[in-house]
Amino acid sequence: MADHQEATLTLPSDPASVSTARRYVAGVLAGWGLDEGSETSDTVRLIVSELATNAVQHTFGQSPTFTVDVRLERDEQLHIGVTDSHPRWPQRLPAAVQQDNGRGMVIIRWLTAECGGRLSVRPTDDGGKTVWIELPWTTPSPN
């Protein structure tokens, strides 16, 4: 496998795009050797769903699209980022706040940490942001 692999998809900020983003990432990772039925694959699909949902719901129509970037570096580190053009960064809600939504970043952060990864938010040149997760790549190497 190459030292660096990359895939990108830009989608409209529409709720229907969340499932498209999830399927796209799952397909890319399957092509790179991740078993679609594995626990890691399930976790990544959930993380992508939450990231894409945040990009659709919390940009308040001010980001007409969002972009999903998937990168694999040296068969060691998986990076998945979701970029939107809205300047508002994700907010962590206090534990005492009772809401039906707004827990996506807590879920993402917890799942990422459970996999031994980390989450970061970085500004984009156009004033938006990318929410990145970095996970160790755990697929078995062919013998």
Side-chain angles (χ1 to χ4, degrees), residues 11-21 52-53 55-57 59 63-66:
L11 296 164
S13 287
D14 180 272
S17 295
V18 174
S19 62
T20 303
T53 297
V56 170
Q57 288 186 342
T59 59
S63 182
T65 62
F66 67 94

Side-chain angles (χ1 to χ4, degrees), residues 1 23-37 41 137 139:
M1 195 174 281
R23 283 191 309 271
Y24 174 75
V25 171
V28 166
L29 297 183
W32 293 347
L34 183 64
D35 177 13
E36 288 191 56
S41 181
W137 184 249
T139 62

Side-chain angles (χ1 to χ4, degrees), residues 3 31 35 44 51 53 64-65 107 109 114 116 132-133:
D3 280 349
D35 177 13
V44 168
L51 289 172
T53 297
T65 62
I107 293 167
R109 198 174 297 277
E114 271 295 296
W132 285 102
I133 63 153

Side-chain angles (χ1 to χ4, degrees), residues 108-137:
I108 295 164
R109 198 174 297 277
W110 185 84
L111 289 169
T112 301
E114 271 295 296
C115 292
R118 64 186 198 115
L119 178 139
S120 62
V121 182
R122 298 183 190 128
T124 61
D125 291 339
D126 67 356
K129 79 272 185 194
T130 303
V131 181
W132 285 102
I133 63 153
E134 299 173 18
L135 301 173
W137 184 249

Side-chain angles (χ1 to χ4, degrees), residues 60-120:
F60 307 105
Q62 294 180 18
S63 182
T65 62
F66 67 94
T67 300
V68 180
D69 291 296
V70 187
R71 298 179 189 154
L72 179 58
E73 295 179 6
R74 293 179 301 281
D75 287 344
E76 296 174 359
Q77 195 74 19
L78 175 66
H79 303 264
I80 299 173
V82 173
T83 303
D84 64 63
S85 59
H86 193 278
R88 182 172 166 245
W89 285 33
Q91 303 293 313
R92 184 186 296 209
L93 295 176
V97 173
Q98 297 294 318
Q99 285 186 209
D100 290 337
N101 62 13
R103 300 279 182 232
M105 290 305 293
V106 172
I107 293 167
I108 295 164
R109 198 174 297 277
W110 185 84
L111 289 169
T112 301
E114 271 295 296
C115 292
R118 64 186 198 115
L119 178 139
S120 62

